[in-house]
Amino acid sequence: MKSNAVVFVYLQEMVYIASVYGEWVIKDNLSWHFEVDYRKGGRMFSLRDGCTHDELIQMALEDYSLTKIGHRLEISYPLPEVFTQQTCNDSPPMFVTNDRQVESLIELSRNHGVRLCVSSKGKDEDNVDGPLDEDLDENLDDELKEEFDEELDEDWSAEREEVSEESGCDEDDVREKAYEGDDDTHADYSQYGKIKDEDVVIDVPFDDPRLLGRGVGHRIGIDNWEDNIYEHQSFDTKAQLISELRLTAVMTRFSFRIAASTRKVFVAKCKVAGCKWRLRAAVKNEPSTFWVTKYVKSHTCSVSDRVRNHKRCTTKYIGKLFLDRTGLIEGIVPQHIRDSMRRMFGMKLDYTASYRALKHAQDLVWGTAEEGYANLPSYLQRIKDANPGTVTDLVCDSQDRFKYCFLSLAGSISGFQYLRRVIVVDGTHLTGKYGGALLVAAGQDANFQIFPLAFAVVDAEDSESWEWFFNKLRDCFRQFPPMAIVSDRAAAIARAIGIVMPWASRGICYYHLQGNIVKDFHAKEIMYMVKGAAYAHTVPEYDRYMDLIRAANPALATYLETSDPKLWSRVHFEGDRYNIKTSNIAESINSAVKKAKGLPIPRLLEFIREKLGRWFSKRREDALSLTTRHSRGVEYILAIRSYYAGSMIVDRIDAWRFHVKGGRRDCNVDLENRTCSCGVYNVEKIPCSHVIAAAAEANVDMSYYVCATHSTPSLFSTYAHPIYPKEGTDSHVKPVRCLPPGESVPSGRPKKSRWQTWLEMSRKKNTKPRKTHKKYSCSKCKEPGHTRPNCVAED
């Protein structure tokens, strides 16, 4: 029976629970003992007054990724020492089975140290594909086993992707998991700080009632269809008349031809020669109103003739018909169009026709790509007028063809002054008619949440466009040095930073470096060493991992040393990079706007503005509700580290310097200069357990040593500036000509996603990666790296 031991720490009005995974065993002396499973890592719960038993059970299920099916939780706790002195040593844990006992547990924890144990009887889903606990210890190096004692201060991740990328690999990834598998790396701090329902992904089911049309509860067939056209009926425009006539033709399965169509007369006849079905309408009274003057609704032709002459509807009409019946529902795909038209009108559409109908419906609602470029100048001006302080720019060539556009909202510019000075940049390709690329710059707020800074749409992701983008960034944020910029390894980005922002420190994404190493050196089995060197907090630790890499793969060690460790190693980085080790912040924004990347540019920018408006509103409300000194994420980290600091021994050296014993290493803490020899506090600017223990010994509040950007006032100030929608109309804006780019439009359906590497697929799907290509060797010289036709060896 697996269980989870947790210790209560009462802070303000909440009871915080630090949790580790393991199992209860009974020793020979009949005493109960809890053995920790280091692979599972740590968790932190929080209980409020009035917490119910069901809520406590739900916390355990969610935090340990368990399901109610196949898992039966038993919550218990051992009696405090003051009680055990009066009872036998074989007293079992006290079980919590209802709300009353939860209330007793909370009250007991206020005056006594209580350890809560959450026992799970059932299969642990996290270990389905992974090695057994016994096998893990056999695969670990002795040095890495020691790191399990206190990895809490070693590393923590603020990106969801970084946490999830440690799962789903095969047996070769066990060593890498050893580096990450401790008390703190299994906790996803970005998820802890994330606001519930901040950004809900809309997934429209195929049986959604909205797809049946407004007021339609079942399929409309020819047997229950009612013809709504009659004599002396009026239509405001000729287009409305033709639309109703087309719907009648669709439902009664015939085709008509337009015999006459002028500004004042419209005549339609059945396509079968000799049939007396006809409709005549003419203008009366109002200049644009058409009145039906004659309508013969009965067909005199044969059914077989009507079927033979019946033609399929155009995709443009299908798109318009779908809009008239259902409207444009957010999140629909071509399959929804196909199912909806089959159920409403009995139409049989293939995927291509459904895709084109959906595209035409979107064009009717959002406008075409050409209309988007024409309306872009007025949109940027209206957004700027509604949000004073917003920076926009539109660049066209000598022929007034679109080249670049830039948008940084006033709320983003104002909020950046309260963030840590780290900007992550990335680019993604657009999938619209004229292609292009979307460039993104983002930061991270006090609660480890993504904070978008600026966006740009460019014709191509090249050196010229990146240089222009960084020039605009410099104009928006030049008043906030020093600054660090994290990106992928693109040469165009490195060149642009060197030209535009030579004073900024540049770092590269570890994840991209990892992909290149696996691809070029086939060194997946020692990637945990590379990650250890990249994430090291001290130079000796970095050197230790580099020695291991050099012994295992000298070529890889040489490659890493020549790749400039200042770019990828956290300990050698020139400046403050904090916990930001990858470009996942910008990548996440690219993923968030994925469904809008094929829209016209004004609609794409409006989609981004609406999303930022929702983020700012919800996060501002969340910051106002906080009663703590720091954000939720930081309070969570401090609670965990305080728990481990409580077991450390502190020796005072002088008034401000201490020697802290405990955990994986003994460290020297200098409170005056804000340093710790473990390196964690020096990098993250959040007190490690050693600093917390030293501060407690010195009777100094630990909050004094937390970076000011993590405070609750800073979090609220970050989102204090609201984001307003565009105001006015296009008629109030001075017209500026902007034409689509001159590049030819590629044929075929635009691709929405790029091909993913095996590493990305395995991290994302939580499954084993597909097999890598076979390493061929020459059958002639027996050397790897080439085949016989390319062999240069002499005969």
Side-chain angles (χ1 to χ4, degrees), residues 9-12 16 44 152-153 628-631 633-646 656 669 671 674 681 685-708 710-711:
V9 181
Y10 186 70
L11 298 178
Q12 296 188 6
Y16 288 87
M44 176 67 71
L152 174 67
D153 292 332
T628 56
R629 297 185 181 181
H630 309 290
S631 65
V634 174
E635 290 286 342
Y636 185 25
I637 296 171
L638 293 177
I640 295 177
R641 293 181 175 177
S642 298
Y643 166 67
Y644 290 99
W656 293 100
V669 177
L671 295 181
R674 295 173 179 255
Y681 179 54
K685 312 305 180 187
I686 298 177
C688 60
S689 57
H690 307 104
V691 173
I692 294 175
E697 180 68 20
N699 198 23
V700 179
D701 189 351
M702 73 173 76
S703 300
Y704 176 74
Y705 296 98
V706 180
C707 180
H710 288 300
S711 66

Side-chain angles (χ1 to χ4, degrees), residues 539-557:
V539 174
E541 185 180 3
Y542 168 85
D543 293 338
R544 179 168 66 91
Y545 278 106
M546 288 301 298
D547 291 341
L548 294 174
I549 297 172
R550 189 174 293 104
N553 193 327
L556 175 56

Side-chain angles (χ1 to χ4, degrees), residues 354-526:
S354 303
Y355 172 80
R356 291 176 178 174
L358 177 59
K359 187 67 174 66
H360 183 68
Q362 292 173 342
D363 290 344
L364 291 176
V365 176
W366 297 329
T368 63
E370 292 77 10
E371 294 173 348
Y373 286 106
N375 297 330
L376 182 58
S378 62
Y379 175 82
L380 294 176
Q381 185 59 46
R382 291 170 62 186
I383 283 292
K384 193 173 183 179
D385 293 342
N387 298 270
T390 296
V391 176
T392 63
D393 192 17
L394 176 63
V395 178
C396 299
D397 59 15
S398 58
Q399 298 179 348
D400 294 331
R401 297 187 179 276
F402 173 84
K403 194 172 179 63
Y404 309 134
C405 80
F406 179 87
L407 173 63
S408 181
L409 294 168
S412 298
I413 298 175
S414 174
F416 182 71
Q417 61 182 307
Y418 303 102
L419 305 185
R420 295 167 295 174
R421 306 294 185 259
V422 181
I423 295 180
V424 181
V425 297
D426 191 30
T428 181
H429 293 287
L430 299 179
T431 59
K433 183 176 180 180
Y434 292 95
L438 176 67
L439 308 185
V440 178
Q444 194 178 76
D445 67 10
N447 204 28
F448 312 120
Q449 300 170 123
I450 300 171
F451 187 81
L453 297 174
F455 300 87
V457 178
V458 297
D459 54 356
E461 193 175 353
D462 52 22
S463 298
E464 183 181 356
S465 61
W466 274 113
E467 183 176 346
W468 176 83
F469 181 65
F470 277 108
N471 270 300
K472 304 307 297 182
L473 278 181
R474 181 190 60 189
D475 295 341
C476 295
F477 307 107
R478 66 166 47 182
Q479 67 272 31
F480 304 121
M483 186 178 296
I485 300 176
V486 179
S487 67
D488 57 24
R489 304 189 66 192
I493 298 179
R495 177 181 177 275
I497 294 175
I499 295 175
V500 181
M501 297 181 177
W503 41 269
S505 302
R506 174 175 174 260
I508 62 174
C509 171
Y510 164 75
Y511 188 73
H512 289 83
L513 177 69
Q514 180 183 11
N516 292 339
I517 292 174
V518 173
K519 176 182 176 182
D520 298 337
F521 292 91
H522 308 287
K524 183 160 65 76
E525 65 279 358
I526 63 171

Side-chain angles (χ1 to χ4, degrees), residues 243-297:
S243 177
E244 185 65 28
L245 186 59
R246 283 178 173 173
L247 180 60
T248 302
V250 168
M251 299 309 304
T252 55
R253 303 294 191 272
F254 79 97
S255 298
F256 65 88
R257 61 183 178 88
I258 299 177
S261 179
T262 65
R263 296 175 60 184
K264 294 186 178 182
V265 177
F266 176 82
V267 178
K269 297 181 179 180
C270 179
K271 203 166 186 180
V272 180
C275 182
K276 293 185 178 181
W277 182 96
R278 64 178 299 168
L279 180 144
R280 185 182 187 279
V283 174
K284 293 182 180 181
N285 301 328
E286 292 84 0
S288 61
T289 302
F290 277 77
W291 293 77
V292 179
T293 58
K294 185 176 182 179
Y295 182 43
V296 180
K297 63 172 62 178

Side-chain angles (χ1 to χ4, degrees), residues 147-156 179 182-185 189 535-538 541 570 637-638 640-645 648 660 662-665 667 676 678-684 686-693:
E147 295 183 7
F148 275 80
D149 293 338
E150 190 191 302
E151 187 66 10
L152 174 67
D153 292 332
E154 186 62 25
D155 183 34
W156 50 273
Y179 178 81
D182 302 276
D183 301 330
D184 115 287
T185 52
Y189 295 101
Y535 289 4
H537 291 90
T538 61
E541 185 180 3
R570 182 159 57 179
I637 296 171
L638 293 177
I640 295 177
R641 293 181 175 177
S642 298
Y643 166 67
Y644 290 99
M648 294 181 176
V660 182
R664 185 164 57 90
R665 61 165 72 94
C667 297
C676 179
C678 72
V680 176
Y681 179 54
N682 306 345
V683 172
E684 299 175 358
I686 298 177
C688 60
S689 57
H690 307 104
V691 173
I692 294 175

